[in-house]
Amino acid sequence: MSMIGYARVSSIGQKLDVQLEKLQTQLCEKIYQEKESAITTKRPQLMACLDYVREGDILVITRLDRLARSTLDLCNIAKRLEDKGVTLRVIDQNIDTSNSTGRLMFNMLATIAQFENEIRAERQMDGIKKAQANGVMFGRVKALTPNQITELKSKRQSGILIKDLMAEYKLSKKSVYNYLELSKQNCLPMAA
C-alpha cells in the first residue's frame, strides 16, 4: 500500500505550496503536480497518476475540485480508482472512500459541487442576456467595415487570389472565406 498525492492549480501564476505541504503531512511517497485547468482534457500528470496507482494504494488530494470540475468527470475518475482497488482520500473535506460514510460524503459533495456550477452558469447566462438587452455587444469586433467587405467580395469576383486578399486586408484565410460565405448567405452572386 502506497500513499500517492496529486496537486493541481488552474493557472501558471498560482502556487502549489499549500497543497504540497498538506500532501507531505500525509506521508505521500510520490506526488504528481501540475498547473492545468480542470476543464482542459489535457492533464498529463493526473493521467500519469491514475495509471501509476495500484490496488491497495491511496490517492490523496487536498480538495475535490483539485481532481475534477464536473460531477461526471469526478465520477469517472472515482470509478477508475474503484476498478483498480484504489481508495481516494480528500484532506480538507475529510473524505475517505474506503468506508461507506466516506463514499456517501464523496457523492454528496460531488453532487453539491455540480449544482453550484449549474447555478453559476445560469446566473452568468442571465447576466449576458441582461447585458445584451442593454446593448452590450459580445465577441470580436469585425475586422472589416461593410464597405471593405463589399470591396473584398468584388475583388474576389474579379479573380483576385485568396492569398492576395489575405495580404491586402491582413486577414487569415478562414476570415476571408467567412466574409465570402457571408455574401452567399446574403444572396449576393459570387464567382468561383
Side-chain angles (χ1 to χ4, degrees), residues 72-84:
L72 178 61
D73 188 29
L74 192 57
C75 289
N76 288 336
I77 292 170
K79 176 71 172 133
R80 185 171 173 183
L81 293 172
E82 181 183 349
D83 290 347
K84 291 182 88 169

Side-chain angles (χ1 to χ4, degrees), residues 152-153 172-185:
L152 176 126
K153 293 172 190 173
S172 68
K173 183 186 278 189
K174 181 166 176 40
S175 293
V176 170
Y177 279 110
N178 284 342
Y179 281 120
L180 295 173
E181 183 63 29
L182 186 62
S183 70
K184 289 179 186 177
Q185 293 171 359

Side-chain angles (χ1 to χ4, degrees), residues 121-153:
E122 287 175 11
R123 286 187 194 133
Q124 183 179 14
M125 285 308 301
D126 289 344
I128 289 170
K129 287 178 184 175
K130 184 175 181 178
Q132 286 173 330
N134 290 332
V136 174
M137 300 295 289
F138 290 91
R140 239 171 65 173
V141 176
K142 296 282 185 206
L144 301 181
T145 66
N147 288 340
Q148 289 174 314
I149 295 169
T150 303
E151 185 181 275
L152 176 126
K153 293 172 190 173

Side-chain angles (χ1 to χ4, degrees), residues 7-74:
R8 181 189 61 78
V9 290
S10 299
S11 66
I12 302 297
Q14 294 177 319
K15 296 188 185 288
L16 290 161
D17 299 350
V18 174
Q19 290 180 61
L20 294 175
E21 186 178 314
K22 288 180 181 182
L23 293 172
Q24 288 164 352
T25 65
Q26 297 292 306
L27 305 176
C28 291
E29 296 171 24
K30 187 171 181 72
I31 299 174
Y32 290 85
Q33 52 187 295
E34 63 192 336
K35 295 183 178 189
E36 291 282 344
S37 171
I39 297 170
T40 184
T41 56
K42 296 178 182 176
R43 289 179 282 167
Q45 290 299 305
L46 175 60
M47 294 304 112
C49 178
L50 295 176
D51 288 341
Y52 178 83
V53 291
R54 303 286 182 256
E55 184 174 352
D57 286 351
I58 299 170
L59 176 60
V60 184
I61 58 175
T62 57
R63 292 191 332 256
L64 280 177
D65 67 347
R66 299 300 84 204
L67 195 58
R69 283 283 189 212
S70 72
T71 302
L72 178 61
D73 188 29
L74 192 57

